[in-house]
Amino acid sequence: MAAKFLRQSSVPDKLEEKRSAVLDFIEHQKGLDRKVVLVTSGGTTVPLESKTVRFIDNFSVGSRGASSTEYFLKEGYAVIFLHRNRSLKPFLRHFSGYNFLDLLQLDNDNPNSDVKVKPEYQERLVCVLRDYQQVQKEGTLLMVEFQTLSDYLHLLQVCSTCLQSLGRSAMLYLAAAVADFYIPKDQMPEHKIQSSDGPLQLSLQLVPKMLEPLVKEWVPQAYVVSFKLETNKDILVSKSLQALEKYQHQLVVANLLDTRKKEVKLVTRDTCLDITMTTHELSQGQEIEEKIVKELKSLHSAFCSHDEQT
Ligand code: PMT
């Protein structure tokens, strides 16, 4: 099913260039004995026309993926950040609510004035810039962009298969909100759908779950973390357990749409760990991703050392 979907869907631009960049990045990290995590982030679009004017989208802004990436980097991982274009990005996200021109000032009495950062933003900017420059210097972050569902799925396959050579040292952290329904290429109109033709009825097909080939074929030795998003708390854990049973991967991060920044559950086949944030922690600007990533790092280490013992 997944292979057929990939064969029949459009391939993203410059796929082979992107594959080489991912391979080079992984080889470099391997030489330095660093663990690598693939973080997926943001929503996927589903085009309604081949020459796309309209598409179906979802709510995800990529906050989970972008913040988790920073914490993985702090924990010593190298990160491949597979993200939706225009979703939140690590480091830049700290200024996403700002017009960057409002952070800057000129000396109005001096026509040759340099641009300066306003004093009230200095401390925050210095802090983020320092971390960003450190990551640039160490070469531990690779940004890979997608927009549509098919871009995402092709790139997920490329990144996952490239990670195979790392064995258990690779982690996949699949936080992207991937569309479950799509219009196959051969059923998609070429040109813009005309409103003059009257009300629109859409028939969407099910997208095959990529977790299946990912775990079985693309990267079978890696530590795979999927996400489960629900709006009904009564089915959250049972759905997560079903996913673990069906795909045989290591862990599900289970979250509810409304409370996803305050509480999540880390579900494995035989444990369920609640991770929560107090009001005080949230008011101090602490983020739940810091706790999630710490916990995953320790579970991943145990998973890797199990390999050494066997
Ligand atoms: O980006 P934010 O706004 O910060 O929000 C974060 C989040 C809520 C999007 C994130 O925490 C989250 O829950 N992401 C997963 C949402 C989701 O797609 O859940 P799902 O139950 O539909 O899918 C479960 C898993 O199946 C996912 O890990 C996904 O990678 C995988 N999947 C989905 C579709 C598909 N065709 N193949 C898949 O393998």
Side-chain angles (χ1 to χ4, degrees):
M1 286 277 282
K4 188 169 166 214
F5 177 95
L6 288 167
R7 258 197 325 275
Q8 293 179 347
S9 62
S10 30
V11 175
D13 284 347
K14 303 187 179 161
L15 187 63
E16 287 316 309
E17 265 175 49
K18 288 177 183 168
R19 189 195 306 275
S20 331
V22 172
L23 273 175
D24 289 351
F25 180 80
I26 291 171
E27 280 310 304
H28 179 68
Q29 308 306 334
K30 224 155 94 181
L32 297 166
D33 217 13
R34 275 197 198 111
K35 290 187 176 129
V36 179
V37 58
L38 170 68
V39 174
T40 72
S41 184
T44 57
T45 65
V46 173
L48 302 188
E49 301 124 341
S50 300
K51 294 186 174 163
T52 310
V53 174
R54 302 189 185 87
F55 51 80
I56 303 172
D57 206 346
N58 65 45
F59 70 96
S60 168
V61 294
S63 174
R64 175 84 84 216
S67 55
S68 302
T69 292
E70 287 179 25
Y71 294 112
F72 275 118
L73 290 162
K74 278 205 179 108
E75 293 292 346
Y77 279 80
V79 182
I80 301 171
F81 183 61
L82 177 57
H83 64 285
R84 161 80 179 272
N85 63 346
R86 291 191 234 149
S87 65
L88 291 176
K89 297 184 180 59
F91 308 108
L92 268 179
R93 74 188 173 101
H94 296 281
F95 301 96
S96 70
Y98 295 89
N99 174 342
F100 94 99
L101 295 174
D102 291 335
L103 306 183
L104 307 175
Q105 65 182 15
L106 292 171
D107 175 358
N108 286 334
D109 298 331
N110 175 1
N112 299 318
S113 167
D114 288 334
V115 176
K116 293 204 174 99
V117 174
K118 286 182 185 162
E120 61 270 37
Y121 298 118
Q122 285 279 352
E123 194 183 332
R124 194 141 163 234
L125 194 62
V126 166
C127 198
V128 174
L129 191 59
R130 206 165 265 145
D131 288 348
Y132 173 73
Q133 289 187 338
Q134 183 67 22
V135 165
Q136 293 295 102
K137 196 170 122 205
E138 289 175 357
T140 43
L141 176 60
L142 180 71
M143 307 282 282
V144 183
E145 219 178 70
F146 66 84
Q147 179 177 359
T148 63
L149 171 71
S150 61
D151 288 352
Y152 170 78
L153 295 177
H154 280 281
L155 288 164
L156 178 67
Q157 183 187 32
V158 163
C159 294
S160 308
T161 47
C162 290
L163 282 167
Q164 214 182 86
S165 67
L166 287 175
R168 288 191 166 223
S169 306
M171 188 195 303
L172 287 87
Y173 181 86
L174 306 171
V178 185
D180 282 318
F181 305 100
Y182 79 116
I183 302 180
K185 224 165 131 186
D186 57 0
Q187 293 169 29
M188 205 187 283
E190 184 184 357
H191 293 289
K192 183 185 170 197
I193 299 166
Q194 295 299 315
S195 58
S196 54
D197 294 344
L200 180 62
Q201 293 213 337
L202 293 174
S203 166
L204 303 172
Q205 303 298 314
L206 256 186
V207 178
K209 284 279 182 195
M210 294 294 157
L211 268 171
E212 190 161 347
L214 184 144
V215 175
K216 278 198 191 135
E217 297 161 31
W218 300 346
V219 65
Q221 286 180 294
Y223 191 78
V224 177
V225 177
S226 75
F227 279 68
K228 178 52 63 191
L229 176 71
E230 292 296 341
T231 51
N232 174 357
K233 69 175 174 21
D234 297 337
I235 60 170
L236 187 60
V237 173
S238 60
K239 295 284 271 183
S240 305
L241 287 168
Q242 273 171 30
L244 289 168
E245 185 58 36
K246 185 159 182 197
Y247 304 115
Q248 296 289 308
H249 58 302
Q250 282 67 35
L251 189 140
V252 174
V253 179
N255 55 175
L256 292 169
L257 186 63
D258 292 341
T259 56
R260 64 190 194 271
K261 297 200 170 170
K262 285 194 293 200
E263 53 189 60
V264 302
K265 290 176 190 298
L266 301 193
V267 185
T268 68
R269 252 158 274 164
D270 32 42
T271 58
C272 179
L273 176 70
D274 282 300
I275 295 194
T276 52
M277 298 298 286
T278 63
T279 315
H280 177 70
E281 287 171 328
L282 289 169
S283 71
Q284 297 294 299
Q286 285 175 256
E287 296 174 306
I288 196 164
E289 287 78 11
E290 183 173 8
K291 293 188 185 181
I292 299 175
V293 167
K294 276 213 163 82
E295 196 59 44
L296 289 180
K297 181 188 179 187
S298 124
L299 291 167
H300 186 206
S301 290
F303 177 79
C304 292
S305 53
H306 178 73
D307 189 36
E308 281 155 20
Q309 287 158 18
T310 52

